[in-house]
Amino acid sequence: MSFQSPMPSQQFLWDVFQKVDKDRSGYISADELQMALSNGTWQPFNKETVRMMIGMFDKQNTGTVSFQDFGALWKYVTDWQSCFRSFDTDNSGTIDRQELKTALTSFGYRLSDWLIDMLVRKYDRFGRGTILFDDFIQCCVTLYTLTNSFRQYDTNQQGVITIHYEQFLSMVFSLKT
């Protein structure tokens, strides 16, 4: 299953970039990106998800995204949108527990029902047992990042690690999410 969307033209991206860059600085800040994105509920996009995405595409470490990096950010969001829609099988605009389990299983995770329930509780902003688009991105990227950090210590690929407390703290605090 492929979730990759075609790359739009440079002119299209420039037009979108200029609309998002409200202060005309030539860079998109987290606040500007948050105002431009929609999770389908008329609620603002999750600030933490926006911060995470800016961090992923901020090549100059300025807390902003330049036009040069905007194309990759645009593609990232549209690919996640396609992925989200493919797992939102009831077309509710949210991901429920079973849809999340299906998505994570298709990504290669073998998680217990208890952990799936915990993820739904953690990323369910309104206590309805469902996850919005922006929170789905954050959930999946956080899980991916934590898994990669874990794998650095799980050299035998057995799903078990032994680490010291400071190694654990270093692992968690060094995560770029």
Side-chain angles (χ1 to χ4, degrees), residues 71-100:
L73 173 61
W74 175 270
K75 184 167 180 3
Y76 182 79
V77 172
T78 55
D79 287 348
W80 270 114
Q81 200 171 37
S82 297
C83 174
F84 181 86
R85 286 182 181 143
S86 75
F87 291 110
D88 178 19
T89 54
D90 62 0
N91 294 316
S92 64
T94 61
I95 295 289
D96 65 25
R97 183 198 176 287
Q98 188 55 49
E99 291 166 335
L100 179 63

PDB file of all heavy atoms in Angstrom, residues 71-100:
ATOM      1  N   GLY A  71       8.530  22.268   0.378  1.00  0.00           N
ATOM      2  CA  GLY A  71       8.042  21.208  -0.507  1.00  0.00           C
ATOM      3  C   GLY A  71       8.046  19.853   0.176  1.00  0.00           C
ATOM      4  O   GLY A  71       7.091  19.084   0.074  1.00  0.00           O
ATOM      5  N   ALA A  72       9.119  19.566   0.916  1.00  0.00           N
ATOM      6  CA  ALA A  72       9.206  18.292   1.637  1.00  0.00           C
ATOM      7  C   ALA A  72       8.159  18.240   2.753  1.00  0.00           C
ATOM      8  O   ALA A  72       7.536  17.201   2.981  1.00  0.00           O
ATOM      9  CB  ALA A  72      10.609  18.105   2.203  1.00  0.00           C
ATOM     10  N   LEU A  73       7.945  19.361   3.439  1.00  0.00           N
ATOM     11  CA  LEU A  73       6.924  19.419   4.489  1.00  0.00           C
ATOM     12  C   LEU A  73       5.534  19.221   3.889  1.00  0.00           C
ATOM     13  O   LEU A  73       4.719  18.468   4.430  1.00  0.00           O
ATOM     14  CB  LEU A  73       6.996  20.761   5.229  1.00  0.00           C
ATOM     15  CG  LEU A  73       5.893  21.038   6.244  1.00  0.00           C
ATOM     16  CD1 LEU A  73       5.903  20.004   7.359  1.00  0.00           C
ATOM     17  CD2 LEU A  73       6.039  22.432   6.816  1.00  0.00           C
ATOM     18  N   TRP A  74       5.260  19.869   2.783  1.00  0.00           N
ATOM     19  CA  TRP A  74       3.967  19.727   2.102  1.00  0.00           C
ATOM     20  C   TRP A  74       3.721  18.264   1.743  1.00  0.00           C
ATOM     21  O   TRP A  74       2.655  17.715   1.987  1.00  0.00           O
ATOM     22  CB  TRP A  74       3.939  20.602   0.850  1.00  0.00           C
ATOM     23  CG  TRP A  74       2.699  20.429   0.047  1.00  0.00           C
ATOM     24  CD1 TRP A  74       2.478  19.546  -0.972  1.00  0.00           C
ATOM     25  CD2 TRP A  74       1.468  21.145   0.211  1.00  0.00           C
ATOM     26  NE1 TRP A  74       1.206  19.671  -1.450  1.00  0.00           N
ATOM     27  CE2 TRP A  74       0.563  20.650  -0.740  1.00  0.00           C
ATOM     28  CE3 TRP A  74       1.059  22.163   1.071  1.00  0.00           C
ATOM     29  CZ2 TRP A  74      -0.731  21.132  -0.856  1.00  0.00           C
ATOM     30  CZ3 TRP A  74      -0.227  22.637   0.953  1.00  0.00           C
ATOM     31  CH2 TRP A  74      -1.114  22.128  -0.004  1.00  0.00           C
ATOM     32  N   LYS A  75       4.736  17.625   1.146  1.00  0.00           N
ATOM     33  CA  LYS A  75       4.605  16.222   0.750  1.00  0.00           C
ATOM     34  C   LYS A  75       4.393  15.337   1.979  1.00  0.00           C
ATOM     35  O   LYS A  75       3.576  14.421   1.950  1.00  0.00           O
ATOM     36  CB  LYS A  75       5.843  15.782  -0.026  1.00  0.00           C
ATOM     37  CG  LYS A  75       5.747  14.362  -0.552  1.00  0.00           C
ATOM     38  CD  LYS A  75       6.825  14.076  -1.546  1.00  0.00           C
ATOM     39  CE  LYS A  75       6.797  12.692  -2.116  1.00  0.00           C
ATOM     40  NZ  LYS A  75       5.747  11.803  -1.738  1.00  0.00           N
ATOM     41  N   TYR A  76       5.091  15.624   3.053  1.00  0.00           N
ATOM     42  CA  TYR A  76       4.962  14.869   4.293  1.00  0.00           C
ATOM     43  C   TYR A  76       3.525  14.917   4.803  1.00  0.00           C
ATOM     44  O   TYR A  76       2.930  13.887   5.122  1.00  0.00           O
ATOM     45  CB  TYR A  76       5.934  15.453   5.322  1.00  0.00           C
ATOM     46  CG  TYR A  76       5.966  14.746   6.650  1.00  0.00           C
ATOM     47  CD1 TYR A  76       6.677  13.562   6.805  1.00  0.00           C
ATOM     48  CD2 TYR A  76       5.303  15.262   7.753  1.00  0.00           C
ATOM     49  CE1 TYR A  76       6.731  12.910   8.025  1.00  0.00           C
ATOM     50  CE2 TYR A  76       5.345  14.620   8.981  1.00  0.00           C
ATOM     51  CZ  TYR A  76       6.056  13.451   9.109  1.00  0.00           C
ATOM     52  OH  TYR A  76       6.090  12.807  10.319  1.00  0.00           O
ATOM     53  N   VAL A  77       2.946  16.111   4.845  1.00  0.00           N
ATOM     54  CA  VAL A  77       1.575  16.265   5.344  1.00  0.00           C
ATOM     55  C   VAL A  77       0.575  15.579   4.416  1.00  0.00           C
ATOM     56  O   VAL A  77      -0.324  14.875   4.874  1.00  0.00           O
ATOM     57  CB  VAL A  77       1.216  17.755   5.542  1.00  0.00           C
ATOM     58  CG1 VAL A  77      -0.261  17.927   5.860  1.00  0.00           C
ATOM     59  CG2 VAL A  77       2.064  18.367   6.647  1.00  0.00           C
ATOM     60  N   THR A  78       0.732  15.745   3.108  1.00  0.00           N
ATOM     61  CA  THR A  78      -0.226  15.134   2.182  1.00  0.00           C
ATOM     62  C   THR A  78      -0.095  13.613   2.174  1.00  0.00           C
ATOM     63  O   THR A  78      -1.100  12.903   2.034  1.00  0.00           O
ATOM     64  CB  THR A  78      -0.114  15.700   0.752  1.00  0.00           C
ATOM     65  OG1 THR A  78       1.222  15.565   0.286  1.00  0.00           O
ATOM     66  CG2 THR A  78      -0.517  17.167   0.712  1.00  0.00           C
ATOM     67  N   ASP A  79       1.121  13.079   2.357  1.00  0.00           N
ATOM     68  CA  ASP A  79       1.282  11.628   2.463  1.00  0.00           C
ATOM     69  C   ASP A  79       0.603  11.103   3.722  1.00  0.00           C
ATOM     70  O   ASP A  79      -0.059  10.060   3.694  1.00  0.00           O
ATOM     71  CB  ASP A  79       2.761  11.227   2.461  1.00  0.00           C
ATOM     72  CG  ASP A  79       3.402  11.355   1.092  1.00  0.00           C
ATOM     73  OD1 ASP A  79       2.675  11.534   0.091  1.00  0.00           O
ATOM     74  OD2 ASP A  79       4.648  11.278   1.030  1.00  0.00           O
ATOM     75  N   TRP A  80       0.745  11.823   4.840  1.00  0.00           N
ATOM     76  CA  TRP A  80       0.062  11.422   6.069  1.00  0.00           C
ATOM     77  C   TRP A  80      -1.454  11.498   5.901  1.00  0.00           C
ATOM     78  O   TRP A  80      -2.188  10.673   6.430  1.00  0.00           O
ATOM     79  CB  TRP A  80       0.506  12.284   7.254  1.00  0.00           C
ATOM     80  CG  TRP A  80       1.691  11.713   7.970  1.00  0.00           C
ATOM     81  CD1 TRP A  80       2.946  12.256   8.048  1.00  0.00           C
ATOM     82  CD2 TRP A  80       1.750  10.497   8.707  1.00  0.00           C
ATOM     83  NE1 TRP A  80       3.769  11.433   8.778  1.00  0.00           N
ATOM     84  CE2 TRP A  80       3.059  10.352   9.200  1.00  0.00           C
ATOM     85  CE3 TRP A  80       0.823   9.499   8.993  1.00  0.00           C
ATOM     86  CZ2 TRP A  80       3.453   9.254   9.966  1.00  0.00           C
ATOM     87  CZ3 TRP A  80       1.223   8.408   9.756  1.00  0.00           C
ATOM     88  CH2 TRP A  80       2.520   8.296  10.226  1.00  0.00           C
ATOM     89  N   GLN A  81      -1.901  12.492   5.146  1.00  0.00           N
ATOM     90  CA  GLN A  81      -3.343  12.633   4.912  1.00  0.00           C
ATOM     91  C   GLN A  81      -3.876  11.416   4.148  1.00  0.00           C
ATOM     92  O   GLN A  81      -4.929  10.862   4.506  1.00  0.00           O
ATOM     93  CB  GLN A  81      -3.593  13.918   4.123  1.00  0.00           C
ATOM     94  CG  GLN A  81      -4.975  14.453   4.192  1.00  0.00           C
ATOM     95  CD  GLN A  81      -5.032  15.842   3.560  1.00  0.00           C
ATOM     96  OE1 GLN A  81      -4.370  16.121   2.564  1.00  0.00           O
ATOM     97  NE2 GLN A  81      -5.838  16.704   4.137  1.00  0.00           N
ATOM     98  N   SER A  82      -3.155  10.982   3.139  1.00  0.00           N
ATOM     99  CA  SER A  82      -3.555   9.786   2.382  1.00  0.00           C
ATOM    100  C   SER A  82      -3.543   8.551   3.272  1.00  0.00           C
ATOM    101  O   SER A  82      -4.459   7.719   3.211  1.00  0.00           O
ATOM    102  CB  SER A  82      -2.609   9.558   1.199  1.00  0.00           C
ATOM    103  OG  SER A  82      -2.687  10.623   0.298  1.00  0.00           O
ATOM    104  N   CYS A  83      -2.517   8.433   4.088  1.00  0.00           N
ATOM    105  CA  CYS A  83      -2.413   7.305   5.016  1.00  0.00           C
ATOM    106  C   CYS A  83      -3.600   7.310   5.975  1.00  0.00           C
ATOM    107  O   CYS A  83      -4.270   6.289   6.158  1.00  0.00           O
ATOM    108  CB  CYS A  83      -1.099   7.409   5.781  1.00  0.00           C
ATOM    109  SG  CYS A  83      -0.883   6.189   7.084  1.00  0.00           S
ATOM    110  N   PHE A  84      -3.878   8.462   6.571  1.00  0.00           N
ATOM    111  CA  PHE A  84      -4.984   8.594   7.528  1.00  0.00           C
ATOM    112  C   PHE A  84      -6.305   8.185   6.885  1.00  0.00           C
ATOM    113  O   PHE A  84      -7.060   7.394   7.445  1.00  0.00           O
ATOM    114  CB  PHE A  84      -5.052  10.049   8.014  1.00  0.00           C
ATOM    115  CG  PHE A  84      -6.139  10.321   9.014  1.00  0.00           C
ATOM    116  CD1 PHE A  84      -5.917  10.112  10.365  1.00  0.00           C
ATOM    117  CD2 PHE A  84      -7.371  10.816   8.617  1.00  0.00           C
ATOM    118  CE1 PHE A  84      -6.910  10.378  11.302  1.00  0.00           C
ATOM    119  CE2 PHE A  84      -8.373  11.080   9.535  1.00  0.00           C
ATOM    120  CZ  PHE A  84      -8.138  10.858  10.883  1.00  0.00           C
ATOM    121  N   ARG A  85      -6.561   8.696   5.695  1.00  0.00           N
ATOM    122  CA  ARG A  85      -7.820   8.380   5.006  1.00  0.00           C
ATOM    123  C   ARG A  85      -7.942   6.889   4.696  1.00  0.00           C
ATOM    124  O   ARG A  85      -9.040   6.335   4.740  1.00  0.00           O
ATOM    125  CB  ARG A  85      -7.935   9.199   3.722  1.00  0.00           C
ATOM    126  CG  ARG A  85      -8.246  10.645   3.988  1.00  0.00           C
ATOM    127  CD  ARG A  85      -8.413  11.429   2.705  1.00  0.00           C
ATOM    128  NE  ARG A  85      -8.694  12.816   2.993  1.00  0.00           N
ATOM    129  CZ  ARG A  85      -8.232  13.827   2.274  1.00  0.00           C
ATOM    130  NH1 ARG A  85      -7.482  13.600   1.201  1.00  0.00           N
ATOM    131  NH2 ARG A  85      -8.526  15.071   2.603  1.00  0.00           N
ATOM    132  N   SER A  86      -6.820   6.250   4.392  1.00  0.00           N
ATOM    133  CA  SER A  86      -6.879   4.829   4.057  1.00  0.00           C
ATOM    134  C   SER A  86      -7.237   3.972   5.275  1.00  0.00           C
ATOM    135  O   SER A  86      -7.822   2.909   5.131  1.00  0.00           O
ATOM    136  CB  SER A  86      -5.565   4.356   3.441  1.00  0.00           C
ATOM    137  OG  SER A  86      -4.566   4.227   4.418  1.00  0.00           O
ATOM    138  N   PHE A  87      -6.896   4.435   6.480  1.00  0.00           N
ATOM    139  CA  PHE A  87      -7.215   3.674   7.687  1.00  0.00           C
ATOM    140  C   PHE A  87      -8.510   4.130   8.349  1.00  0.00           C
ATOM    141  O   PHE A  87      -9.056   3.420   9.191  1.00  0.00           O
ATOM    142  CB  PHE A  87      -6.056   3.717   8.683  1.00  0.00           C
ATOM    143  CG  PHE A  87      -4.876   2.942   8.194  1.00  0.00           C
ATOM    144  CD1 PHE A  87      -3.721   3.584   7.808  1.00  0.00           C
ATOM    145  CD2 PHE A  87      -4.925   1.558   8.080  1.00  0.00           C
ATOM    146  CE1 PHE A  87      -2.634   2.869   7.333  1.00  0.00           C
ATOM    147  CE2 PHE A  87      -3.848   0.827   7.603  1.00  0.00           C
ATOM    148  CZ  PHE A  87      -2.695   1.493   7.222  1.00  0.00           C
ATOM    149  N   ASP A  88      -9.018   5.297   7.971  1.00  0.00           N
ATOM    150  CA  ASP A  88     -10.308   5.776   8.479  1.00  0.00           C
ATOM    151  C   ASP A  88     -11.406   5.103   7.662  1.00  0.00           C
ATOM    152  O   ASP A  88     -12.073   5.714   6.837  1.00  0.00           O
ATOM    153  CB  ASP A  88     -10.375   7.300   8.364  1.00  0.00           C
ATOM    154  CG  ASP A  88     -11.697   7.876   8.829  1.00  0.00           C
ATOM    155  OD1 ASP A  88     -12.436   7.184   9.562  1.00  0.00           O
ATOM    156  OD2 ASP A  88     -12.000   9.033   8.449  1.00  0.00           O
ATOM    157  N   THR A  89     -11.598   3.807   7.893  1.00  0.00           N
ATOM    158  CA  THR A  89     -12.461   2.993   7.035  1.00  0.00           C
ATOM    159  C   THR A  89     -13.932   3.383   7.107  1.00  0.00           C
ATOM    160  O   THR A  89     -14.676   3.149   6.162  1.00  0.00           O
ATOM    161  CB  THR A  89     -12.304   1.496   7.365  1.00  0.00           C
ATOM    162  OG1 THR A  89     -12.536   1.302   8.759  1.00  0.00           O
ATOM    163  CG2 THR A  89     -10.906   1.010   7.009  1.00  0.00           C
ATOM    164  N   ASP A  90     -14.355   3.990   8.211  1.00  0.00           N
ATOM    165  CA  ASP A  90     -15.755   4.410   8.305  1.00  0.00           C
ATOM    166  C   ASP A  90     -15.959   5.863   7.868  1.00  0.00           C
ATOM    167  O   ASP A  90     -17.058   6.398   7.968  1.00  0.00           O
ATOM    168  CB  ASP A  90     -16.305   4.190   9.719  1.00  0.00           C
ATOM    169  CG  ASP A  90     -15.580   5.014  10.776  1.00  0.00           C
ATOM    170  OD1 ASP A  90     -14.645   5.777  10.437  1.00  0.00           O
ATOM    171  OD2 ASP A  90     -15.948   4.888  11.965  1.00  0.00           O
ATOM    172  N   ASN A  91     -14.894   6.490   7.361  1.00  0.00           N
ATOM    173  CA  ASN A  91     -14.941   7.881   6.875  1.00  0.00           C
ATOM    174  C   ASN A  91     -15.497   8.853   7.915  1.00  0.00           C
ATOM    175  O   ASN A  91     -16.173   9.817   7.575  1.00  0.00           O
ATOM    176  CB  ASN A  91     -15.733   7.982   5.571  1.00  0.00           C
ATOM    177  CG  ASN A  91     -15.051   7.259   4.444  1.00  0.00           C
ATOM    178  OD1 ASN A  91     -13.835   7.365   4.270  1.00  0.00           O
ATOM    179  ND2 ASN A  91     -15.814   6.487   3.690  1.00  0.00           N
ATOM    180  N   SER A  92     -15.151   8.624   9.182  1.00  0.00           N
ATOM    181  CA  SER A  92     -15.629   9.489  10.260  1.00  0.00           C
ATOM    182  C   SER A  92     -14.781  10.746  10.428  1.00  0.00           C
ATOM    183  O   SER A  92     -15.178  11.667  11.133  1.00  0.00           O
ATOM    184  CB  SER A  92     -15.630   8.712  11.580  1.00  0.00           C
ATOM    185  OG  SER A  92     -14.290   8.364  11.927  1.00  0.00           O
ATOM    186  N   GLY A  93     -13.600  10.765   9.800  1.00  0.00           N
ATOM    187  CA  GLY A  93     -12.681  11.886   9.992  1.00  0.00           C
ATOM    188  C   GLY A  93     -11.814  11.705  11.228  1.00  0.00           C
ATOM    189  O   GLY A  93     -11.045  12.591  11.592  1.00  0.00           O
ATOM    190  N   THR A  94     -11.942  10.539  11.867  1.00  0.00           N
ATOM    191  CA  THR A  94     -11.126  10.198  13.027  1.00  0.00           C
ATOM    192  C   THR A  94     -10.701   8.734  12.915  1.00  0.00           C
ATOM    193  O   THR A  94     -11.268   7.974  12.131  1.00  0.00           O
ATOM    194  CB  THR A  94     -11.897  10.384  14.361  1.00  0.00           C
ATOM    195  OG1 THR A  94     -13.038   9.525  14.358  1.00  0.00           O
ATOM    196  CG2 THR A  94     -12.328  11.828  14.563  1.00  0.00           C
ATOM    197  N   ILE A  95      -9.707   8.388  13.719  1.00  0.00           N
ATOM    198  CA  ILE A  95      -9.239   7.004  13.787  1.00  0.00           C
ATOM    199  C   ILE A  95      -9.688   6.431  15.126  1.00  0.00           C
ATOM    200  O   ILE A  95      -9.351   6.984  16.181  1.00  0.00           O
ATOM    201  CB  ILE A  95      -7.691   6.951  13.679  1.00  0.00           C
ATOM    202  CG1 ILE A  95      -7.214   7.445  12.319  1.00  0.00           C
ATOM    203  CG2 ILE A  95      -7.157   5.559  13.981  1.00  0.00           C
ATOM    204  CD1 ILE A  95      -7.505   6.546  11.145  1.00  0.00           C
ATOM    205  N   ASP A  96     -10.458   5.343  15.079  1.00  0.00           N
ATOM    206  CA  ASP A  96     -10.886   4.714  16.335  1.00  0.00           C
ATOM    207  C   ASP A  96      -9.871   3.634  16.722  1.00  0.00           C
ATOM    208  O   ASP A  96      -8.868   3.425  16.043  1.00  0.00           O
ATOM    209  CB  ASP A  96     -12.311   4.168  16.239  1.00  0.00           C
ATOM    210  CG  ASP A  96     -12.478   3.028  15.235  1.00  0.00           C
ATOM    211  OD1 ASP A  96     -11.495   2.308  14.921  1.00  0.00           O
ATOM    212  OD2 ASP A  96     -13.611   2.843  14.746  1.00  0.00           O
ATOM    213  N   ARG A  97     -10.145   2.961  17.814  1.00  0.00           N
ATOM    214  CA  ARG A  97      -9.231   1.974  18.358  1.00  0.00           C
ATOM    215  C   ARG A  97      -8.874   0.881  17.344  1.00  0.00           C
ATOM    216  O   ARG A  97      -7.718   0.540  17.156  1.00  0.00           O
ATOM    217  CB  ARG A  97      -9.859   1.349  19.601  1.00  0.00           C
ATOM    218  CG  ARG A  97      -8.975   0.361  20.294  1.00  0.00           C
ATOM    219  CD  ARG A  97      -9.792  -0.543  21.225  1.00  0.00           C
ATOM    220  NE  ARG A  97      -8.932  -1.529  21.805  1.00  0.00           N
ATOM    221  CZ  ARG A  97      -8.436  -2.569  21.143  1.00  0.00           C
ATOM    222  NH1 ARG A  97      -8.710  -2.763  19.877  1.00  0.00           N
ATOM    223  NH2 ARG A  97      -7.636  -3.421  21.749  1.00  0.00           N
ATOM    224  N   GLN A  98      -9.896   0.316  16.689  1.00  0.00           N
ATOM    225  CA  GLN A  98      -9.651  -0.765  15.730  1.00  0.00           C
ATOM    226  C   GLN A  98      -8.889  -0.254  14.510  1.00  0.00           C
ATOM    227  O   GLN A  98      -8.000  -0.925  13.998  1.00  0.00           O
ATOM    228  CB  GLN A  98     -10.967  -1.431  15.303  1.00  0.00           C
ATOM    229  CG  GLN A  98     -10.761  -2.673  14.454  1.00  0.00           C
ATOM    230  CD  GLN A  98      -9.871  -3.717  15.122  1.00  0.00           C
ATOM    231  OE1 GLN A  98     -10.060  -4.078  16.271  1.00  0.00           O
ATOM    232  NE2 GLN A  98      -8.871  -4.204  14.393  1.00  0.00           N
ATOM    233  N   GLU A  99      -9.232   0.931  14.044  1.00  0.00           N
ATOM    234  CA  GLU A  99      -8.521   1.510  12.896  1.00  0.00           C
ATOM    235  C   GLU A  99      -7.058   1.786  13.252  1.00  0.00           C
ATOM    236  O   GLU A  99      -6.163   1.566  12.425  1.00  0.00           O
ATOM    237  CB  GLU A  99      -9.224   2.787  12.439  1.00  0.00           C
ATOM    238  CG  GLU A  99     -10.583   2.518  11.798  1.00  0.00           C
ATOM    239  CD  GLU A  99     -11.437   3.772  11.640  1.00  0.00           C
ATOM    240  OE1 GLU A  99     -11.250   4.760  12.403  1.00  0.00           O
ATOM    241  OE2 GLU A  99     -12.312   3.770  10.752  1.00  0.00           O
ATOM    242  N   LEU A 100      -6.799   2.253  14.484  1.00  0.00           N
ATOM    243  CA  LEU A 100      -5.424   2.489  14.919  1.00  0.00           C
ATOM    244  C   LEU A 100      -4.663   1.167  14.981  1.00  0.00           C
ATOM    245  O   LEU A 100      -3.528   1.080  14.511  1.00  0.00           O
ATOM    246  CB  LEU A 100      -5.380   3.182  16.284  1.00  0.00           C
ATOM    247  CG  LEU A 100      -3.981   3.457  16.825  1.00  0.00           C
ATOM    248  CD1 LEU A 100      -3.223   4.425  15.922  1.00  0.00           C
ATOM    249  CD2 LEU A 100      -4.048   3.989  18.252  1.00  0.00           C
TER     250      LEU A 100
END
